[in-house]
Amino acid sequence: MASLILLWHELCCILDINNQGNQLIIIKTIKSIMKKTLLAVFLALMFPIMALAQVNSSLTIDFKNPALMSMEIDRSVVSVQLTDNFATGPVALSNPVMVTVKSNMPWTLTATANTDFLGTDNISNTISCSQLEFKSRLSGSTENVREQQEEYLGFAKSQAMTIARGDATPNEGLHILVEDRLMINLKNPAGNYSLPLIFTLSPSQ
């Protein structure tokens, strides 16, 4: 507002001085003054907006994503039915055991037999755990699986046998099918036997 008053005062002075002069000069002077006025008003209005547009603020988002690992086995007991004949050789389980693994980090799935097969009727009767063989395969997605046991392999007592190994799984998990078979021969004493297998899911490199 002060600038407008000052410019108007300048205009009045010019009109007084050139009262007898050329009207064209007065008109040009008025146009020049009006341009200056409009420019001054425009800058006065725009400068606060330009200044506000240069104000910045930052916000940092921090969080911790915990390591997650889970394992589910579709059954706790597997019963094998042997036929009453003298045939020897591998006896496969009718249905593979399904292990579902979920993890957001590299993982290794192992199974361990800490003992041999022990007779439940006669504890002195044993059958080597190496006569139980296994292999593994994937059901469905094979995303980020780095290793699986594709051929039958016998268990070694107290040794963790690798079932499969991989990286972060899909959200629905990986479904690993473990196929077992028994290698029975006539040297194995008759009776009922039992062998617990320990499945372990652990972080890996």
Side-chain angles (χ1 to χ4, degrees):
M1 181 61 73
S3 62
L4 293 175
I5 294 172
L6 181 60
L7 288 171
W8 178 254
H9 179 71
E10 181 181 347
L11 176 60
C12 291
C13 291
I14 291 171
L15 291 173
D16 289 338
I17 293 170
N18 296 283
N19 189 35
Q20 302 299 323
N22 194 324
Q23 292 183 357
L24 181 60
I25 295 174
I26 294 175
I27 293 172
K28 288 183 178 180
T29 304
I30 291 173
K31 288 182 177 180
S32 176
I33 293 171
M34 292 304 295
K35 287 181 179 178
K36 292 179 181 179
T37 303
L38 291 173
L39 180 61
V41 172
F42 177 79
L43 292 176
L45 293 174
M46 290 300 297
F47 182 77
I49 298 175
M50 294 172 62
L52 288 175
Q54 296 176 356
V55 176
N56 296 318
S57 235
S58 66
L59 175 66
T60 301
I61 308 297
D62 291 327
F63 74 97
K64 180 180 179 181
N65 188 26
L68 300 174
M69 297 181 69
S70 70
M71 171 183 62
E72 292 183 5
I73 304 178
D74 68 348
R75 73 200 76 174
S76 59
V77 177
V78 174
S79 297
V80 182
Q81 299 297 325
L82 302 182
T83 59
D84 297 331
N85 57 39
F86 291 102
T88 61
V91 178
L93 275 64
S94 58
N95 294 313
V97 175
M98 179 180 287
V99 183
T100 301
V101 172
K102 295 182 180 180
S103 177
N104 64 354
M105 59 189 298
W107 54 271
T108 299
L109 176 65
T110 62
T112 306
N114 288 319
T115 67
D116 289 322
F117 282 97
L118 301 179
T120 56
D121 303 321
N122 185 346
I123 59 174
S124 63
N125 288 342
T126 63
I127 296 177
S128 174
C129 66
S130 64
Q131 291 178 233
L132 175 66
E133 299 180 341
F134 76 95
K135 67 177 181 179
S136 62
R137 58 185 173 88
L138 276 293
S139 173
S141 173
T142 60
E143 182 179 343
N144 292 338
V145 175
R146 291 186 277 127
E147 179 184 344
Q148 54 187 315
Q149 182 60 43
E150 298 180 352
E151 302 294 334
Y152 278 107
L153 179 66
F155 280 90
K157 188 189 299 186
S158 300
Q159 181 176 330
M161 313 296 290
T162 298
I163 304 293
R165 191 192 312 272
D167 297 316
T169 68
N171 289 337
E172 65 274 15
L174 288 174
H175 304 297
I176 304 169
L177 299 177
V178 183
E179 300 181 29
D180 295 291
R181 70 180 185 183
L182 281 170
M183 301 293 290
I184 298 299
N185 57 62
L186 295 179
K187 293 181 179 180
N188 299 136
N192 296 312
Y193 292 85
S194 179
L195 170 64
L197 290 178
I198 307 300
F199 283 82
T200 303
L201 182 65
S202 58
S204 64
Q205 299 298 322

